[in-house]
Amino acid sequence: HLGIELDPLKMTDVERAELKEWIALHKSRRHILHGLGAPVITRPVSDGRYVSGVGLRDDDLEADAPSEHFILAVAQGPQTLQEQPRPLTLFVNDPEALYTVTLLGPAQPPFIRPHPAQLDILSGRVPVAGQLIADVGINIPQMYPESAILLEIKTVRD
């Protein structure tokens, strides 16, 4: 269920175009979002930040797919106490592998004073070691209250 509960007849052309992009994104990741046996990933709420998603590993993926593939929603609640939330850690099967972290949306992320290095990692252009993701975590910029982002994390293919 994509969860669209609105009247498209009352939307502007810009809103309809954005909705079309979100639907296309959902369709392109449907095999992960609705994959049989895809484990649900949740992290304890930390300073009002909620993390949940799904992931597929090894045998659940197609032959030409990366060995691990995760889709995560990161949502900021109404308030925070810290300026910079704790990094997001994630268990990975292969700590020796490299992973890309890509911000899937929104197009204008709700970040407060992001550091250029954070944006480089979230662009998917800078591979991150699995050991770093598991032990230290991904440093996601502070977000405005009641906002969310969608991340894709997957192993780098040779």
Side-chain angles (χ1 to χ4, degrees):
H1 180 305
L2 182 54
I4 299 173
E5 298 175 6
L6 49 81
D7 184 351
L9 298 175
K10 296 180 180 177
M11 298 173 71
T12 67
D13 289 342
V14 171
E15 291 169 331
R16 272 195 292 281
E18 182 179 359
L19 178 60
K20 183 177 179 179
E21 289 174 12
W22 280 108
I23 291 171
L25 177 68
H26 181 267
K27 286 181 177 180
S28 70
R29 305 312 195 278
R30 185 180 288 148
H31 65 288
I32 298 165
L33 297 170
H34 302 286
L36 294 176
V40 174
I41 300 164
T42 57
R43 291 286 168 263
V45 177
S46 175
D47 198 22
R49 184 169 277 187
Y50 299 78
V51 177
S52 63
V54 294
L56 292 178
R57 293 185 167 103
D58 300 328
D59 297 337
D60 298 323
L61 293 161
E62 297 171 10
D64 62 344
S67 61
E68 290 186 284
H69 198 157
F70 308 97
I71 303 290
L72 300 172
V74 179
Q76 182 61 54
Q79 58 187 348
T80 71
L81 300 175
Q82 302 176 35
E83 183 170 332
Q84 181 59 47
R86 289 187 191 124
L88 168 64
T89 58
L90 184 65
F91 173 79
V92 295
N93 276 351
D94 186 359
E96 302 299 318
L98 292 176
Y99 292 78
T100 57
V101 181
T102 306
L103 175 68
L104 295 177
Q108 298 297 316
F111 297 146
I112 300 172
R113 296 183 308 276
H115 189 277
Q118 290 172 308
L119 297 177
D120 284 344
I121 289 173
L122 296 177
S123 72
R125 295 187 306 263
V126 178
V128 180
Q131 193 73 53
L132 183 72
I133 293 172
D135 293 345
V136 178
I138 302 161
N139 195 354
I140 298 170
Q142 182 183 17
M143 295 168 29
Y144 286 102
E146 299 183 0
S147 63
I149 60 172
L150 194 61
L151 295 176
E152 179 174 54
I153 302 169
K154 59 185 178 178
T155 50
V156 175
R157 293 194 41 133
D158 294 333

